[in-house]
Amino acid sequence: MDNIHVIIEELKKRDYSSFDTFYDLTKNQVFYAIINIIKDHSLAEDLMQDTYVKFLEKINDYKSNSNPYAYLSTIGRNLAINMYNKRKREIVSEEIFETIAAPEVEEPNDEIFKILDLLDPIEKEIVTLHVINDLKFREIAPIVDKPLGTVLWIYNKAIKKLRERADDFI
Amino acid sequence: MKRKTLLQLIKTKSQEVEIKDLSQSILDKVRLLPQAEVITAPKKRFSYKPVFAMTLSVMTATLAFFIFYQPGSTQVPIIEDVNQVMAVSLVSAASLVDYTDETIADNDSVNMALGYFTLDVAEQPLIDNEIDTVSQYLGMMERLLNSDENFDYEFDTTDPNGFAHHLSFKTKDLLDQETNYTFNYNQINVAKDNLYTIEGSLIIGDQTYTITGQGDIKNPKIFQLRILSDEHNYIDIKYEISSLVNRYQINVTENDMLIQTANLAVKQENNQRSVYLDFVSGNATGSYMFQVENIIGQGKQMKISYYISKTTSESGQIEVQVDQTGADARYTITVEPKGREPFVVERGRGTNDTNGRPGKGGSGV
């Protein structure tokens, strides 16, 4: 954890020599914060880039004692939600005018998504943020804008659901 | 399936997903961004001696006195050679403007060479070493720039309270708050030496300050006022004055040592008042031009252009806003050195505990 904070301090000084390390340390968190909302793998990668660009652009807003994984997850999630809403509007618009086919979505084919797809969107997100992104529940609560108790309840419900359906993905 | 096993499975499977290395692409995009403003905390806290703060605060009032000082006796100084004073003053002011314009032009080309992005600026900007000194003068500049042209002065010689001359005037700061001053003094002419002296007291709020002055009856350029904090700490101001320019030399003496010399000029042009501050010796060496702008929705701000020349030169802009949030008003000073990253410092304004006295601009925070 200390290492990433050292790198962030360097990034604040516009020293990008360790950015690849920073990216390696955080890319999973950013990717999964996005991919659960935008299922398109290549679009998720575009949004990953936007997430890091935004992070670096506003890096002086980042408080040194914050959790960078939660911070990046929040940026990625917000960008993904914006993109999701934008695409939803585009698709609706296209359906109305019937001029352009709806864009095809490249569904991720990895096993992890088969597991996560057994869950509701909010369950999927909370499980992802906690299990994959290693965020604490109190860090997840503000991200998903739900009380801590609700987050815990949804998480336990989701894990119970996965355990019950383990045969589907083993 | 056990809970622990399930969680481990999710973790493992999540790591099997290939995520591209996008780091280079991200950095390429970041480098194309316009340079974002960098806000950094002030690196050092400035604290100068209270006695110095006091004398600086009083200096504003004395400068105000100089600006409209019109001696009533035929034996007091008159400007014998207006053209000479005007020429010297205009050259001085024009040189200061030229400095700024030239440097802006120079640094524009540097900026183009660097593109949007400046990396690894190893040396601190020159302004970093001067901003504390400059901030000491902000209270004075607020009043010199924002007060009425003649400071609404009233001159009275009828009040028999021990002083023959009574000068009342007032200044306005950036928040348009007024400060009232009363300068009571006697003038003694020493005809045989063509000298005169002034002794008096300046009253600002509940404070009284001792003022002494002397000058040559025939040569106003050597006229000098001394604002005494005590016999070891004082500020001397020499002045030249004409209908077109007012120029002063400020010498700050602390513990019997001359610690700072600066030239100051006030100029009114196209309904825009400018004050030029040119440090000659001491901690600062730069040249500064102060103006006030009234920005809709934000109120009055002070804009400063500066030029500092040492082994290297630097120019830039400074914006000063009065932040009224909190118990004490403070200055928020945004410094934008050309070709370098901007930074923001805060300084105490020191007007809330002075009973109407002018701010000790730049007092430590």
Side-chain angles (χ1 to χ4, degrees):
Chain A
M1 200 67 170
D2 286 338
N3 185 34
I4 196 167
H5 288 298
V6 170
I7 295 174
I8 288 173
E9 290 308 308
E10 291 173 359
L11 294 175
K12 282 186 174 181
K13 295 171 187 165
R14 306 283 195 253
D15 175 359
Y16 298 121
S17 54
S18 300
F19 179 74
D20 53 349
T21 308
F22 178 77
Y23 180 81
D24 274 341
L25 289 168
T26 57
K27 65 181 180 184
N28 273 28
Q29 283 80 3
V30 175
F31 176 76
Y32 282 103
I34 292 168
I35 197 71
N36 275 337
I37 296 162
I38 299 283
K39 291 186 177 180
D40 185 323
H41 200 118
S42 64
L43 197 57
E45 286 174 348
D46 287 345
L47 286 176
M48 281 183 74
Q49 294 190 53
D50 293 345
T51 301
Y52 284 101
V53 169
K54 189 162 187 158
F55 173 74
L56 293 173
E57 191 181 2
K58 306 285 183 188
I59 194 162
N60 287 293
D61 295 342
Y62 173 82
K63 290 176 184 160
S64 297
N65 55 355
S66 306
N67 180 346
Y69 302 104
Y71 194 78
L72 281 163
S73 295
T74 305
I75 296 174
R77 180 181 186 270
N78 290 341
L79 288 174
I81 289 171
N82 289 343
M83 177 61 76
Y84 175 82
N85 290 332
K86 188 180 168 194
R87 285 171 67 86
K88 197 165 65 176
R89 282 196 299 274
E90 283 172 355
I91 291 168
V92 169
S93 173
E94 287 158 3
E95 285 171 348
I96 291 169
F97 292 103
E98 295 181 344
T99 54
I100 305 169
E104 290 184 10
V105 174
E106 180 196 333
E107 291 279 355
N109 203 27
D110 303 271
E111 281 189 70
I112 181 65
F113 300 112
K114 291 177 183 168
I115 298 171
L116 294 172
D117 279 347
L118 296 171
L119 302 172
D120 296 340
I122 185 63
E123 292 171 341
K124 189 194 299 183
E125 192 167 19
I126 289 172
V127 168
T128 301
L129 291 172
H130 182 65
V131 181
I132 301 176
N133 286 10
D134 284 326
L135 300 189
K136 296 182 174 71
F137 290 115
R138 62 177 166 77
E139 291 170 329
I140 295 170
I143 293 175
V144 296
D145 196 22
K146 292 193 183 303
L148 179 60
T150 307
V151 170
L152 283 166
W153 182 76
I154 292 172
Y155 174 77
N156 285 323
K157 186 162 68 88
I159 295 299
K160 186 180 174 189
K161 190 189 282 185
L162 289 178
R163 290 175 69 185
E164 286 170 355
R165 300 183 66 174
D167 291 342
D168 295 350
F169 54 82
I170 291 176
Chain B
M1 180 184 283
K2 286 184 179 175
R3 187 184 183 98
K4 192 176 175 182
T5 310
L6 172 67
L7 299 182
Q8 190 56 49
L9 177 70
I10 293 172
K11 263 189 176 303
T12 306
K13 293 295 178 189
S14 73
Q15 286 162 5
E16 288 174 1
V17 176
E18 186 184 347
I19 300 172
K20 277 187 192 171
D21 180 2
L22 303 166
S23 55
Q24 195 52 51
S25 170
I26 291 163
L27 287 181
D28 289 343
K29 283 186 176 183
V30 168
R31 289 193 171 103
L32 288 174
L33 290 172
Q35 185 178 324
E37 183 178 57
V38 177
I39 307 296
T40 55
K43 293 182 187 124
K44 50 184 181 274
R45 300 293 185 199
F46 178 72
S47 177
Y48 57 93
K49 294 180 180 178
V51 63
F52 186 40
M54 184 280 287
T55 47
L56 272 176
S57 70
V58 179
M59 191 157 62
T60 308
T62 312
L63 284 169
F65 166 73
F66 272 140
I67 284 171
F68 54 78
Y69 177 65
Q70 298 290 335
S73 162
T74 53
Q75 291 181 297
V76 298
I78 56 171
I79 297 170
E80 292 184 330
D81 188 350
V82 173
N83 290 333
Q84 183 186 8
V85 173
M86 182 172 67
V88 172
S89 303
L90 287 175
V91 166
S92 173
S95 299
L96 203 55
V97 172
D98 284 346
Y99 273 146
T100 306
D101 289 344
E102 282 171 12
T103 312
I104 287 169
D106 287 347
N107 281 311
D108 277 345
S109 62
V110 171
N111 272 351
M112 287 175 69
L114 291 172
Y116 286 113
F117 206 70
T118 308
L119 282 173
D120 297 333
V121 179
E123 294 178 3
Q124 291 296 321
L126 298 176
I127 186 64
D128 197 47
N129 292 324
E130 301 212 354
I131 192 66
D132 285 338
T133 303
V134 174
S135 65
Q136 296 168 21
Y137 288 80
L138 294 179
M140 178 199 304
M141 294 303 165
E142 277 195 66
R143 288 161 180 83
L144 290 180
L145 289 165
N146 200 45
S147 299
D148 292 340
E149 197 165 349
N150 66 358
F151 296 87
D152 286 338
Y153 80 91
E154 292 177 5
F155 196 81
D156 179 19
T157 56
T158 60
D159 185 9
N161 65 352
F163 294 99
H165 307 283
H166 313 281
L167 189 66
S168 301
F169 55 98
K170 56 187 167 190
T171 60
K172 277 195 290 190
D173 60 20
L174 277 188
L175 303 176
D176 288 333
Q177 292 170 338
E178 292 185 347
T179 303
N180 293 305
Y181 306 74
T182 303
F183 184 34
N184 301 314
Y185 66 96
N186 288 320
Q187 183 174 307
I188 303 161
N189 297 321
V190 186
K192 67 181 174 81
D193 295 327
N194 283 330
L195 294 175
Y196 65 93
T197 59
I198 283 179
E199 291 181 2
S201 62
L202 179 68
I203 301 168
I204 312 171
D206 59 357
Q207 294 291 319
T208 302
Y209 303 97
T210 300
I211 306 284
T212 64
Q214 66 176 19
D216 190 320
I217 292 171
K218 292 185 177 176
N219 187 355
K221 289 182 184 178
I222 64 169
F223 182 77
Q224 178 171 314
L225 277 189
R226 174 168 291 185
I227 308 154
L228 287 152
S229 171
D230 56 51
E231 60 180 310
H232 305 292
N233 298 280
Y234 48 86
I235 291 178
D236 292 316
I237 303 177
K238 296 176 182 175
Y239 85 116
E240 293 173 336
I241 187 167
S242 79
S243 59
L244 295 177
V245 68
N246 303 285
R247 189 173 52 193
Y248 319 90
Q249 186 182 76
I250 302 163
N251 290 306
V252 181
T253 299
E254 194 174 284
N255 296 325
D256 295 320
M257 286 184 63
L258 178 64
I259 61 164
Q260 191 173 94
T261 299
N263 290 326
L264 185 144
V266 181
K267 192 175 177 185
Q268 188 86 19
E269 199 171 55
N270 299 326
N271 294 322
Q272 173 72 61
R273 191 180 303 174
S274 305
V275 178
Y276 297 84
L277 184 65
D278 193 3
F279 290 101
V280 177
S281 67
N283 289 335
T285 58
S287 299
Y288 297 80
M289 182 183 74
F290 298 74
Q291 292 181 331
V292 163
E293 280 185 20
N294 197 354
I295 298 173
I296 296 170
Q298 296 181 48
K300 290 177 179 172
Q301 291 184 5
M302 202 184 298
K303 305 275 187 182
I304 308 169
S305 301
Y306 75 86
Y307 174 77
I308 305 169
S309 179
K310 291 186 175 174
T311 51
T312 60
S313 63
E314 177 184 303
S315 71
Q317 304 290 322
I318 302 171
E319 285 183 11
V320 181
Q321 284 182 298
V322 178
D323 179 5
Q324 295 180 81
T325 54
D328 297 313
R330 302 170 65 77
Y331 292 117
T332 300
I333 306 168
T334 305
V335 186
E336 300 177 5
K338 275 281 180 184
R340 290 171 179 267
E341 293 175 349
F343 61 95
V344 174
V345 295
E346 287 190 343
R347 291 291 180 268
R349 185 163 172 262
T351 51
N352 292 22
D353 58 351
T354 54
N355 295 319
R357 281 173 284 138
K360 302 169 183 176
S363 60
V365 287

